[in-house]
Amino acid sequence: MNLTTVSVNGLDYTKAVSPSMTLLEFLREELGLTGTKNGCDSGECGCCSVMVDGKPMLSCLMLVLEAEGHKITTIEGIAQGNDLHPVQEAMVEYGAIQCGYCTPAMVINGVHLLENNKNPSNEEIKECISATVCRCTGYNSIERAIHSAAAKMKGGCHG
Amino acid sequence: MSTLLESFNYVRPTNLDQLNLLVMDYITKGYDFTFSAGGTDIIPRLKKQIFNPENLISLSGISDLKGIEKKGEIIIIGALTTLDDLANHDLIKKYFPTLAHAAHKVASPQIRNRATLGGNIMVDNRCSYINQSSLNRDCHAPCFKADGDICHIVKRAKRGDEVLCQARFVSDTAPVLLLLEANITIMGQGGLRKIKLNDLYLNDGIDNRSLRKDELITKIEVKIPENESLHYEKLAIRNALDFPSLGVAVCLSEQNLSVALTGLNPRPGLFKAKIKNYNNFDEMVSDICDQALAFAVTYNQDFFPRAYRKSMIPVFIKRGISNILKEKK
C-alpha cells in the first residue's frame, strides 16, 4: 500500500491505496464520487472522463498514484452549489440525457471545449465528443446542447 | 481494491539522476521492470494481463523530458511531450504541419492529453489475438508473443522463421518522423546514444524495438525541411480511437519521393526514390507503389480484409502526391 494525497474538486484527500488502483476506482470506491462512470474500463468509451489540471483525461487509464500533484475535477465539481453549469442546463433543456450513463463525460468534455473555445464549430463539437460513446441520443441533441451553452456563455440568446 | 489490475510495485522518479540510480539498482538486483510514459496503452495491456511486470517505473514525474524547443535548424521534442501539446504547438504547426496532423489522428482527445510522443513511437505491436481480454485469450493456446508455440494468424509459423510474430506496428507519428529523418536520443546505463529513428525498429512482432531493457528515448530531433512537402493519411473504421489499419505518409521534394507505411508489418516501411533515376514522374510513382506492395504483408487480423488494406496502399500514395501537388499550386 502507498500513501497518497490527491486533490479532487478543491479538496485534498489522503488515503492508503494499492499501486494498481486506477483513479476511477479511487474516485468511485474510496471517495464515493460515483458521478464518474465505469464503462469499458479500457479507454474506449470515454465514460470515465475527468479533468486533470483542466484537461479531460480517462480516469480508467490513469493510476491514482499518477494523480498526485494534479488537480482533479469530476462531474461533482462542475456545478456551483445548486447552480448548474450552462452546459448541464443545456443538456437538460435539449433532452440530451436519456439513460444518463455518458452524461458526466459529455459535460466534462463540453465544459473543457467551451472554456477554450467560445465559438466552437459543429466539427469542433463533434470532435470534442467523438470519443465518448452514447448509445441513446444519437449525439444530435448533445451537439445542439453544447451549441446552445456556447451561445448562453457568450451572453447571447438561446439556441 | 483493484479488481482488474494485477499488483505491482510503483515508483515515480522526479529527475533523470534518480531514474538512472533506480534502473541501475533494479538491473543489479535482477528485478523485472517496465517504463510507463502516459500509460494509455500500458494500462489496458496490464488489465488484459498481456504482461505483468513486477515493477512499474513511471516517467511522468520527469519534467526534463517534456517540451519543444528550436536550436538553429533543429527542433528538439522531449519524449514525454503529450500528443495534444505536439499537435497544438506553434513550432510544430509552423514547420511540421503533417506531424501535427498525424499526432492529432492518434486515438481520442482525452487520450492525446495524456499519451506522449515517445510512447507513440515505442507503442507495442498489436494483433487481433493478443490484444484481447485474458478470458478470450485463455480459449486458445498461448501464441509466440505470449511465450507460447503457435501463431493464430499464420498457422504454419514455427520457431526459426524469419518473421515469427506478425503483430502489426501501429504508430501514427512514426511514419511522418521517418520521412523527416528524425534522430532519437536514447539513455541507458551506458550513457547517451543517438540513432536514426529507422534504426530503432526490427521486423519482429514480439518486440520490434532494438532497445535494451534499461534504455529509453529521451528526445526526438527533427531538422526543419527546406523544400519538402508531406502528407499523411490513415485508414481506420472510426475517426476517433482506432489504431491505423493502414497509414501512409508521403514526402515529396524537388529531388526525391519517399513513402512510409504503418499498420501492416511488425516494422514500419520506408521507401525512397530519386527523381533523376526515372524517365518520368509516373514511372517513379508506380515503382514506389510496387516497392510498398512488395513490402506489405497483410493478414486478416484487422476489421478490414487483407486484400482491401493492401489495395489501398497505392491509392493513398497517389492521393498523397496529388494533395501535395495541389497545395503547392
Side-chain angles (χ1 to χ4, degrees), chain B residues 133-148:
Chain B
S133 67
S134 57
L135 276 175
N136 181 310
R137 280 200 318 277
D138 285 349
C139 302
H140 314 274
C143 72
F144 293 120
K145 202 170 162 71
D147 297 328

Side-chain angles (χ1 to χ4, degrees), chain B residues 50-299:
Chain B
I50 295 170
F51 73 138
N52 297 307
E54 285 165 23
N55 297 282
L56 192 73
I57 303 181
S58 167
L59 305 174
S60 64
I62 304 173
S63 51
D64 295 356
L65 299 183
K66 289 172 198 161
I68 298 168
E69 57 173 346
K70 182 170 181 283
K71 266 195 186 156
E73 288 306 289
I74 308 239
I75 303 282
I76 304 170
I77 308 167
L80 289 183
T81 307
T82 66
L83 292 170
D84 185 66
D85 287 346
L86 184 75
N88 292 308
H89 198 280
D90 289 339
L91 284 172
I92 303 296
K93 283 202 282 196
K94 183 176 174 195
Y95 296 113
F96 312 109
T98 314
L99 179 60
H101 169 72
H104 188 84
K105 294 301 276 181
V106 178
S108 66
Q110 294 101 311
I111 289 180
R112 288 194 297 275
N113 282 334
R114 184 136 193 90
T116 65
L117 179 64
N120 192 252
I121 52 186
M122 287 286 286
V123 69
D124 194 54
N125 283 18
R126 297 177 70 85
C127 143
S128 57
Y129 163 77
I130 194 94
N131 292 94
Q132 299 290 347
S133 67
S134 57
L135 276 175
N136 181 310
R137 280 200 318 277
D138 285 349
C139 302
H140 314 274
C143 72
F144 293 120
K145 202 170 162 71
D147 297 328
D149 268 314
I150 190 172
C151 176
H152 298 287
I153 305 295
V154 190
K155 305 277 188 210
R156 64 176 186 280
K158 58 183 187 307
R159 287 204 184 270
D161 283 357
E162 194 189 335
V163 183
L164 186 62
C165 169
Q166 294 290 349
R168 303 183 297 126
F169 180 70
V170 288
S171 166
D172 280 303
T173 54
V176 178
L177 287 168
L178 284 171
L179 294 188
L180 291 166
E181 296 181 341
N183 288 308
I184 52 174
T185 303
I186 294 165
M187 191 183 78
Q189 290 300 293
L192 297 174
R193 65 186 174 108
K194 197 152 121 178
I195 61 167
K196 285 182 181 158
L197 177 62
N198 195 31
D199 296 337
L200 172 69
Y201 297 116
L202 310 168
N203 205 15
D204 179 0
I206 296 171
D207 184 0
N208 73 338
R209 295 143 298 188
S210 62
L211 294 190
R212 290 197 316 265
K213 186 85 186 160
D214 60 294
E215 289 183 319
L216 58 105
I217 300 177
T218 55
K219 56 190 173 189
I220 295 104
E221 287 175 31
V222 201
K223 195 166 172 283
I224 296 170
E226 277 161 20
N227 50 19
E228 295 172 350
S229 307
L230 285 92
H231 187 266
Y232 176 70
E233 188 158 355
K234 170 177 177 173
L235 176 72
I237 296 264
R238 303 172 289 187
N239 274 330
L241 275 167
D242 284 335
F243 285 94
S245 294
L246 167 68
V248 178
V250 178
C251 174
L252 188 64
S253 68
E254 273 167 24
Q255 295 83 32
N256 302 305
L257 169 68
S258 46
V259 166
L261 302 178
T262 186
L264 300 161
N265 299 35
R267 63 158 293 145
L270 180 60
F271 315 97
K272 284 182 183 159
K274 278 195 167 40
I275 292 177
K276 63 172 190 213
N277 293 346
Y278 297 90
N279 294 323
N280 59 52
F281 193 78
D282 290 345
E283 197 180 290
M284 172 177 67
V285 174
S286 92
D287 180 53
I288 213 154
C289 287
D290 289 345
Q291 285 184 47
L293 284 170
F295 164 85
V297 181
T298 53
Y299 292 98

